[in-house]
Amino acid sequence: MEKRYIQTFLQSKYLFAYFLLLSLLIGAMLIGISIGTVKVAVVDILKIVYAHISQRPLSNEVNPMYENIVMNIRMPRVILSGLIGASLAIAGAAFQGLLRNPLADPYTLGVSSGASVGAVMTIFFSLSIPFLGIFTLPVVSIVASFITIFVVLFFAKRIDQSMRVETIILTGVIFSSFLGAFISLMIALTGEELRQIIGWLLGSVSMRGWDYVWIILPFFIIGSVLLFIHATELNAMSFGEEQAKHLGVHVERKKMIILIAGSILTGAAVAVSGTIGFVGLVIPHFIRIIWGPDHRHLLPLSMLAGAAFLIMADLVSRIIIAPSELPIGVITALIGAPIFAFILMKQRLKGRR
């Protein structure tokens, strides 16, 4: 049975999809590391990476300055962008399948707003936990995102024991509105921290080193693995909760696990980068159109495409008004907002027929 599945996979359209998106991701990473104020040739990048992996001395042909640029500045930034894009895209794919709505994304449940509140409170009150130091901001943001999803799920459960999709969305929207008002209040009351808060809310991976990569990585692994394990259940639930129950899926339990996994991914991404919108909406939507709704492939393909997309969006944010930088959230919004409007119009026209 397993052999037959592997043969079918190798003969299917998905082999080309994985090859294409993996190639795009590798290309995006090399371009993202290469281009900047100082251009580093791809050959030099490969030599530097090989020297670090093999723990051998760097070739004399490579400028020693490039090693610091590649290993300490650009590579952690590119990897962080990739992890954030992958996290938001795979969470968006899961939420769209679970909620059976192409307009759903990781922010529907208020997780992003919760993480943003944690970050803004940290900046506003100048909080610093002694043993965390500069990492107080991302840690508090992650904790706030966890609290938010549990509160949303708690109220949704109290309102509707079966936790229907409509109830969860409505509860998430209510909490997003409330938390958004709370953020606006703190921004109105702040002084010198205003620029820092606004910059963080617009989303950025500037001045993020390897430590931020290690912060998001365990959450990315945990959330992704949980969603991959439940890909079959997502396929069943995308046809409706009643249909999934007939197929033997424990809907309430699986729904909770998927929501928590998606929230872990979203909360961790928002914690280290700020609010970066539309990645979780646009990428899964296009992957679903091109390669179909099977979550066994939709999730990993969205992950690869999301990583490549955000790496390139970050590159554009770095070079478009160089030497200054645009917040990466501005780039994704400029791309995503028109696509969001197009999807919405398409849904409305479809509903009228």
Side-chain angles (χ1 to χ4, degrees), residues 186-244:
M186 285 190 286
I187 290 175
L189 295 175
T190 194
E192 296 180 358
E193 299 89 354
L194 178 62
R195 183 179 178 84
Q196 185 182 1
I197 291 174
I198 295 296
W200 188 89
L201 288 174
L202 290 173
S204 174
V205 290
S206 178
M207 303 304 290
R208 308 289 203 272
W210 285 108
D211 289 326
Y212 282 83
V213 174
W214 305 132
I215 286 173
I216 190 176
L217 187 59
F219 296 100
F220 171 73
I221 293 172
I222 292 169
S224 299
V225 169
L226 282 173
L227 291 181
F228 287 148
I229 290 172
H230 292 88
T232 304
E233 284 81 359
L234 270 170
N235 283 342
M237 284 189 279
S238 64
F239 292 106
E241 295 180 15
E242 291 300 322
Q243 183 68 24

Side-chain angles (χ1 to χ4, degrees), residues 128-206:
S128 180
I129 301 173
F131 60 89
L132 292 177
I134 61 171
F135 300 109
T136 299
L137 175 63
V139 170
V140 172
S141 299
I142 290 172
V143 171
S145 69
F146 287 155
I147 293 173
T148 302
I149 185 57
F150 283 122
V151 171
V152 169
L153 292 174
F154 172 77
F155 276 93
K157 186 74 172 177
R158 293 295 297 269
I159 295 168
D160 183 355
Q161 285 293 321
S162 63
M163 292 182 66
R164 286 177 296 179
V165 170
E166 296 83 359
T167 306
I168 296 173
I169 292 178
L170 180 60
T171 308
V173 168
I174 292 170
F175 273 87
S176 291
S177 301
F178 172 75
L179 294 174
F182 191 67
I183 292 171
S184 299
L185 175 62
M186 285 190 286
I187 290 175
L189 295 175
T190 194
E192 296 180 358
E193 299 89 354
L194 178 62
R195 183 179 178 84
Q196 185 182 1
I197 291 174
I198 295 296
W200 188 89
L201 288 174
L202 290 173
S204 174
V205 290
S206 178

Side-chain angles (χ1 to χ4, degrees), residues 125 300 346:
F125 294 108
K346 186 178 177 182

Side-chain angles (χ1 to χ4, degrees), residues 297-344:
H297 300 293
L298 176 63
L299 294 176
L301 290 175
S302 295
M303 184 175 69
L304 293 173
F309 171 76
L310 204 63
I311 289 170
M312 295 308 297
D314 178 52
L315 176 61
V316 172
S317 74
R318 281 193 279 137
I319 65 176
I320 194 170
I321 57 169
S324 299
E325 289 187 17
L326 278 176
I328 193 172
V330 172
I331 303 298
T332 59
L334 288 173
I335 297 170
I339 296 174
F340 178 86
F342 173 76
I343 297 171
L344 180 60

